[in-house]
Every structure is written in structure tokens, then in C-alpha cells.
Amino acid sequence: MTTRSLLDPNHLGAGVLAAAAAELIGPLSPAATPRPLTLKATTSPGQAEAVVDTTTRHPLVLCTVLSDVDVQGLTILPAVKTGGGAPQSLPVVTFAPHTAAGTALVTALPPAGKGDVTAPFSVLARGILGGELGVGLSTAQLLAAVRFDLVEGVLGRLLTVLLDEKGRIRRTAREIRASRTLAVASGNALDRIGADLSSPRFSDELFWDAAGQTPATRPLQPEGTREDDESYRDRLRVLRGVRLPSPPWIGSALADFLADVGVPGTVGADEVADPQLIALRLVAPGAPAAIGQLLNAIRRVHLVWPAGSTEGDDAHAHRLLPPDFAAHVDTQRAALATWQVQPFQPLAPSVAEALTTLDARCVRLGARPWPKVLRGQDNAGGSRFELGFGAQLAAPVAAQLDAAVTAAGKLKDPNLVPQPRSADPAGAWLLKACGLHTVEPDADGTVFVSTAPMGPLVVDVEPDAAGDVPLTLSARLVSATDPAHDVPVVSVITALAGAGLTPVANPAAALAAARSTSTVSGLDAALDSRSVPKVTDVAAFTRQLATVSPRDYVLFDLGATRTAAVLANSAVLSPLFTTATAAGASSVVALVTGTGTLALLFGVTGLPLAGANLAGEHTLVHRWQVRGLGDQHATLSSRRGPVVTIPLFNNGISVVSCVVGQRSGANDPYTWRPSLPDGTLLSLRQYEHLLNIVELVTPVGVRADTFAIRRQHVDVDGSGHPTGLNIAAARAYRHYRLAPSARAGQGEIS
């Protein structure tokens, strides 16, 4: 005879007991096999009841957990009710963290009567997550979490006791396994993971030192308290794992790890770089014929001449080129002829290719906005034209440009996005689509174009590229509307014109007549209240200002009315500073004119007394390099700033390059920045967490810019307002990964 178990031994529930009972013989097997009880909701919320409506002998009720218990644990509060009496509370049943699904614990031993017989009874139960003080389960949650089984007889009780240890063994095994998992490890197990990562548990906490205006640490209280598991686990998550600092991974890391410490909103990774402009210039101090000979060689060997040029035909005839390449060059030469390029002014191959593409697109559009090319390679053309990298187009014809816009709009070509002439009078949308990255309108309406990122940058040499030393090389960003100032200064002038300010026509004369700010009563105090540098020693300031190019600053006389307004309330200066900064100004200095009015000197580079006090960095950054084409290259006296000199003779020709970075609110090269939505505030703890993540995700050779974060998004004292951190305070946070020399248990403050 075969006894069939009512419970699946391989499934959850009291399967252990059922499996053991199935191995018994004869009448012993059904006697020891547990029988599931029906657990139903009662009228009391959160309570369920299992009813045994017959008499039983030596009954025992088991509570079986139906799913794995997490780190919170599960507590069951049982009670037994017999007859019409009130429920009697029973000992609490606790499923400890990591208990395996199917584990059964004894819940009730109903009292036996005469002859070891127990009258009908019921078992009531409630459930709690996280211990007796945790969150109570709803009735539905309780019914899904546990099941009750009935076991009768002495044999059933004996087997229950004998098999009880299996649930404990399974739970311990799961706990050991979990101790190796960061997500669920706790206590000492978490400390061991931290030791592997050189990141011990903190025994201090961050606070804002109002006196020192910096974050600081203090021991956790009461004495001996250490960082809790949750905070420690959040830190270790940042340090653990193999990372490839790719943009997708950085984005996911910022989002996932910062969510652990409750950072609201989305943290972005801004990698947009500021434009970098370049200009090249040949110099050969004391060798007047050398540059011309080199340029003539370049014209013969490398540049592309228009078709029909006698000199060009001869140059191309002596070039040994593969037939297909020679055919392509012939196409370029024909296109240059279409643009009416001067027969003695070839162009660099990249520019010739771009003009060939432009010719083809003009044919496709049925319009030719620029009638001709006015200028190509020119030995005396300076940094824009001497190497053939630039070309000057005739002023666009309005009707032809409008026709091109209309035709391009009908094509629906994603590579051609036309702009109306009112928004783009030079037709840059079409020129850039053909590979001409530089499109700069000139004051006479002509358009300078280049395939190189030259922009408005021009490098001049005084007295001459082949003259006697010292040679002075100066970089300027030419503007079509203001020949006296660089383009960023023109932007500042334009922006402040909206506030009714007009530049001083003769700043040199105004500076010569300037007076100390202390000569106007109350002005120094007003300027100090806005942290504006003031000129008190005019002679010394003027000497220092002579080292700054006058193209990079502009002087405004505020007049008597505005000066009086500033003396009455210095806050009226704030809108001017905000407008100028947004337009590109990086510094400001105050002085008094000869008539006793306040004047403001705005610069796009560092000014004496000010540095970069408006934007924290210079708007223009100049970097110079030199390479010799012979045995010896020229020597630059400086490699920074708009003006450099070559003080000594050298042997041969040198190429001097100037790269100008124009800050536009984007990043420097090889720099990225984390960004937060406007209005988002970080606590000191969240700020520390973010900077540790930034440290880890920033590759070698790349810099992270956290200026905006530390100035606009840190709420140091819970006031709900940001506090701008200075550079020293910005670097005061605890590093999660300790240096080998650091004392264990303490965070580092750098």
C-alpha cells in the first residue's frame, strides 16, 4: 500500500515533514503528514484566521513562510481561540533575516483535554515586517506570506522537533552567502568588504563650520558610534566594480549612485567644449627671402590652382599623381575657375574641395549667392591667406541667397538646413554644410571662409615676419562692426548698450586723467560692499594695464547721475555686472574720472587688481607654440597672452601657432562638468558623495569642473538656500578611499 502525501515534498511549505512522513510505513505515514489549513481574513484589519473544526489528538500548528525573507525579517503574532472564549496570545514567531522559503516554525500547541483530545479551535495571526516595532502587514499581504498546517499525534510532534534544525541550517547558509553580497551584507561582513576597498567605516560626520566657512568633521555621538550600514553600503557601492569611463557609464553612475543618498533630479554630464581657434604664421627673423621661397615651393607642390592659369598648368603638369587623383584635381581646378579665382592665387586642397562641393550645391539649388572668390593664397596675406587655408568671397547677392534658401527648403535635405537672410546674412548655413567651418563676414560685406577653425582670429607680426628682432606677434579677434576691440569685448559693449552705457571714446586720455576712488566721499565703502576692486594708485594701475591689450577691455563712464545712485545704493551695480558677465566679461575694476564720476573698466582677460573677479576665469585664453622648419626654431619669450615676442635671431623659418580658447559657458578641452537642474540643492553629505563619484569616473588626463556645483547647488546648513563655496572649502570633503598613510576609521579632509 502506498501512502500519498497531501503536500508536495519538493514544493514550499512543510515539505520537510511531509517528505519524512512519506517514507514511513503503514498507518504511521498519514498520521505524521501535515494537513494544510485554510487561512481566511477576519473582520479585524491585518488579521487572518485558520479554523480546526474537529476534535484532534496532540495537535500542533505550523506556520510556513512562502517566500524568502529579506533583511527585514518577518514576525508573526499568533493567538489561539477555543470555544467561545477570548483569543489567548501565544509566543511570537520570528522568521529571522535570510530565512529560506518553506521554513516552518511551531506556532500553536492547543491545550488538550481529557484523553489528550483537543476540542475544535482556531489560530489567529498578524504579521509585521522588521520586528515587532516594524510595519504591519495587511491581510492580503499576510495571506500571501504564510500558510498554516496541522500536525497530529506524538509521532508528528517528534518529527517536527527532529527536523526543525534544517530551517536554521538553510537560513545560516543563506546568511553566509549574503555576507559576500554588498547589497545585503551588514555589520562585520560589510566592514570586511570595506577593508578590501580601503574604505573603512566613518566614525565622524560632516557639519558646516560657520566660523571657518568650510565643511568640517566631528565625532559621531554618543562616543564610539560608527557609521550605519546603509550609509556605509552607499559609499562602498561607489568604489566597487570595474569601470570604463565612457559617457553612458558616467551617466548611469551619476544617476544610480546619487539616488542612494537622495539627490533629487537628474545629474547630467556636460562634455560640450568651448570653441578653439587657430592661426598660423611663418617667421624668419633676419632672413627676408626665406619665407617667400618657401611659399613659392608650397604653391608649386601642394596648392590647387584654378583651371586656365598658366602658372597653375605648369605646376600641375610636373606633379606625379595617380590618374584617378589627377582627374579629381582637374575637377577641383574647374570648380575654382567657376568661382573666378585669381589665376595667380591657388588654394589649399581642403579649401579647393570645399569650394568644389559648394559649386555643386549651388548648381543643385539653382542659385549662386557669392559671385566670385576675391582672394586666395597670398604671400603677403598674413595668417589668413599666406598658407592658402583661407579664401575671401564676394559679398552675397541678396536675391541669389533668398533663392538658395527657398530651393533648399523644398529639398528637405537633412544636410542643408536653410536660414533666412535676416538671421544669416552671410549664408553660413550653406557654406558650413560644404565643409567651410570658418565663416566670418567682414565690414565691407565680403565673407572670409576656411576649412580650419580660424574664426575671427588673426595674428599680426611687427615690424615684419622677416624683420630684425625683436619681433612682436599679437593675436586679435577681428570684428566686422568694431575695429578697435576683439569680438568678446564687442559683445560686452552691445549688452551694456541696453543699460544705456556707451564706451569712452578715448580710454587712454580718460585713464591719464583718472583719480583715486578715495577722492569721492563714500565711494570706497560702496565699492567694498560689492567687492569691486578700486583704483587708488592710478599711476601704478596704468603701468600694469599697459601689459593688457586695449582690444580686450572697455571703459564706461557712469556719469554723475549713476555715480550718485551708486553712492546711495551700491546694489544698482549688480545688474550691470550680471549683464556684462553673461556677455563674456571676466573682470571689472572701478576708478574715478577726471570729472569725479565713477567709471568701470570691463575686461575679457585678467585686469590688474581684479584678476578674473566676475567669471572666475578669463574669457580668452591664448596659447602659443613654435616649430622650426630648419635646425633651429625661433624662441618665444612667452607662450601665454595675446602678445608674445621673438627676442633672438634663429636659423631658418619657424611656424608660430596661436590657439585661442574663447569661453562661452562650455568646457575647456579635456574637461567635463557634472550639472544639476536649476534650483537643485545638495546637502554636505550629498555634495561629498557627488565629488567622490566625480573623482572615480574622471579618466586620467581629463579634468572635472565642479565650479557651478559648489557655487550654486550646495546648501551647507539646511537653510534651503545655496552657499557658494570658495576653492578651499570646495575641496574639503572626506575621500571614500583612504590613502595608504591615512589612519583607519577616519575620513580624509583635503
Side-chain angles (χ1 to χ4, degrees):
M1 176 177 178
T2 302
T3 302
R4 182 176 181 276
S5 173
L6 297 177
L7 298 174
D8 181 1
N10 298 318
H11 195 54
L12 303 178
V16 176
L17 182 59
E23 299 298 324
L24 298 178
I25 62 171
L28 297 179
S29 179
T33 300
R35 292 180 292 159
L37 299 176
T38 303
L39 194 60
K40 297 181 179 178
T42 68
T43 56
S44 178
Q47 186 182 63
E49 181 180 24
V51 177
V52 179
D53 55 0
T54 61
T55 57
T56 53
R57 289 176 60 81
H58 300 293
L60 178 149
V61 177
L62 297 175
C63 179
T64 303
V65 64
L66 301 179
S67 58
D68 292 337
V69 179
D70 60 14
V71 294
Q72 291 183 296
L74 174 64
T75 300
I76 302 297
L77 304 178
V80 63
K81 184 172 67 175
T82 59
Q88 300 295 318
S89 297
L90 297 173
V92 174
V93 175
T94 301
F95 293 97
H98 308 298
T99 298
T103 300
L105 297 177
V106 176
T107 302
L109 287 172
K114 185 177 180 181
D116 294 330
V117 174
T118 298
F121 64 95
S122 63
V123 177
L124 303 173
R126 294 181 182 274
I128 301 174
L129 282 179
E132 295 187 39
L133 300 179
V135 180
L137 297 179
S138 65
T139 303
Q141 291 172 325
L142 179 63
L143 295 178
V146 297
R147 189 191 66 214
F148 283 3
D149 299 300
L150 175 66
V151 178
E152 287 189 82
V154 176
L155 179 60
R157 290 188 175 194
L158 176 62
L159 290 176
T160 299
V161 172
L162 293 176
L163 297 173
D164 182 69
E165 193 66 14
K166 182 175 180 180
R168 191 187 311 276
I169 294 172
R170 293 175 64 188
R171 187 194 69 79
T172 302
R174 294 186 74 244
E175 185 177 20
I176 293 173
R177 185 175 60 186
S179 68
R180 301 176 181 176
T181 305
L182 179 60
V184 294
S186 62
N188 291 336
L190 209 55
D191 287 333
R192 287 193 292 273
I193 295 175
D196 291 342
L197 298 171
S198 299
S199 180
R201 199 183 291 260
F202 284 153
S203 59
D204 51 18
E205 64 178 352
L206 284 172
F207 76 102
W208 176 246
D209 182 355
Q213 290 294 295
T214 183
T217 60
R218 60 191 174 196
L220 289 168
Q221 297 298 325
E223 186 177 358
T225 302
R226 301 177 69 208
E227 182 182 19
D228 60 64
D229 284 351
E230 183 178 0
S231 173
Y232 193 26
R233 185 179 296 110
D234 293 340
R235 294 196 299 112
L236 296 182
R237 278 195 67 208
V238 175
L239 301 176
R240 204 175 202 194
V242 179
R243 295 174 173 82
L244 295 175
S246 60
W249 185 87
I250 291 175
S252 65
L254 289 173
D256 295 344
F257 295 153
L258 289 175
D260 291 341
V261 292
V263 174
T266 302
V267 181
D270 181 2
E271 296 183 292
V272 178
D274 281 326
Q276 303 292 310
L277 309 177
I278 185 171
L280 302 176
R281 195 67 197 266
L282 300 178
V283 295
I291 294 178
Q293 294 171 356
L294 173 64
L295 291 176
N296 288 336
I298 292 174
R299 288 160 59 92
R300 288 195 305 273
V301 177
H302 296 287
L303 301 189
V304 179
W305 297 71
S309 165
T310 303
E311 185 179 357
D313 291 344
D314 180 67
H316 284 282
H318 288 83
R319 295 179 185 177
L320 299 178
L321 300 175
D324 54 343
F325 190 81
H328 184 67
V329 172
D330 289 342
T331 302
Q332 293 177 338
R333 295 188 64 196
L336 296 185
T338 304
W339 287 112
Q340 304 178 47
V341 174
Q342 296 291 333
F344 53 87
Q345 291 187 333
L347 291 164
S350 61
V351 179
E353 179 65 22
L355 290 176
T356 302
T357 304
L358 179 63
D359 178 60
R361 288 194 164 167
C362 286
V363 172
R364 185 184 181 194
L365 296 174
R368 186 174 292 268
W370 307 272
K372 59 190 302 185
V373 173
L374 299 177
R375 191 178 187 186
Q377 191 276 335
D378 185 349
N379 287 6
S383 61
R384 281 190 164 182
F385 297 102
E386 70 176 356
L387 290 172
F389 291 139
Q392 186 178 26
L393 305 181
V397 178
Q400 290 291 305
L401 185 56
D402 291 341
V405 170
T406 303
K410 295 178 180 178
L411 289 177
K412 306 297 183 185
D413 186 343
N415 297 318
L416 285 178
V417 182
Q419 298 292 325
R421 184 162 53 86
S422 57
D424 184 3
W429 62 271
L430 179 54
L431 297 171
K432 291 186 176 181
C434 298
L436 295 165
H437 301 299
T438 293
V439 178
E440 290 293 326
D442 288 334
D444 58 359
T446 60
V447 182
F448 172 74
V449 297
S450 175
T451 52
M454 300 171 69
L457 177 61
V458 173
V459 172
D460 298 320
V461 183
E462 295 290 343
D464 183 73
D468 293 336
V469 293
L471 299 184
T472 301
L473 292 91
S474 58
R476 55 191 174 97
L477 301 177
V478 295
S479 167
T481 58
D482 186 345
H485 295 103
D486 279 354
V487 170
V489 177
V490 176
S491 298
V492 175
I493 295 173
T494 303
L496 291 178
L501 294 183
T502 304
V504 174
N506 189 347
L511 289 169
R515 295 156 41 188
S516 168
T517 54
S518 61
T519 60
V520 177
S521 178
L523 183 57
D524 281 357
L527 295 174
D528 288 341
S529 67
R530 313 310 302 176
S531 300
V532 181
K534 49 188 183 298
V535 177
T536 56
D537 186 342
V538 177
F541 176 77
T542 305
R543 284 195 303 272
Q544 297 175 28
L545 188 63
T547 62
V548 181
S549 170
R551 300 181 58 84
D552 293 336
Y553 61 77
V554 59
L555 181 65
F556 293 97
D557 184 353
L558 270 60
T561 303
R562 286 183 186 267
T563 301
V566 172
L567 292 173
N569 180 13
S570 62
V572 299
L573 291 173
S574 295
L576 299 179
F577 296 160
T578 302
T579 302
T581 304
S586 58
S587 52
V588 62
V589 174
L591 49 87
V592 171
T593 65
T595 59
T597 58
L598 175 63
L600 296 177
L601 190 69
F602 288 98
V604 296
T605 186
L607 291 176
L609 304 179
N613 58 341
L614 283 183
E617 54 190 6
H618 300 168
T619 305
L620 296 179
V621 180
H622 299 76
R623 300 180 178 87
W624 297 79
Q625 293 289 333
V626 60
R627 292 290 183 270
L629 301 184
D631 297 334
Q632 183 184 17
H633 63 73
T635 301
L636 295 178
S637 64
S638 172
R639 296 177 186 267
R640 295 290 186 271
V643 179
V644 297
T645 60
I646 297 177
L648 303 172
F649 286 108
N650 66 283
N651 182 20
I653 302 173
S654 296
V655 180
V656 179
S657 66
C658 177
V659 176
V660 175
Q662 181 177 349
R663 300 190 193 281
S664 60
N667 299 296
D668 287 340
Y670 300 102
T671 301
W672 73 284
R673 71 179 70 169
S675 60
L676 284 169
D678 292 341
T680 300
L681 296 178
L682 304 177
S683 66
L684 283 178
R685 174 73 182 88
Q686 293 168 335
Y687 173 70
E688 174 186 74
H689 202 67
L690 171 61
L691 290 201
N692 274 277
I693 296 172
V694 169
E695 280 185 0
L696 289 170
V697 303
T698 302
V700 174
V702 176
R703 191 174 70 90
D705 178 4
T706 59
F707 179 82
I709 293 287
R710 64 176 186 256
R711 298 295 295 179
Q712 303 170 13
H713 296 283
V714 183
D715 179 7
V716 298
D717 51 7
S719 63
H721 301 285
T723 298
L725 301 181
N726 58 36
I727 188 62
R731 293 176 178 172
Y733 60 93
R734 298 173 297 181
H735 293 268
Y736 289 171
R737 194 189 301 275
L738 291 182
S741 59
R743 184 160 58 94
Q746 295 289 330
E748 292 178 292
I749 295 292
S750 66

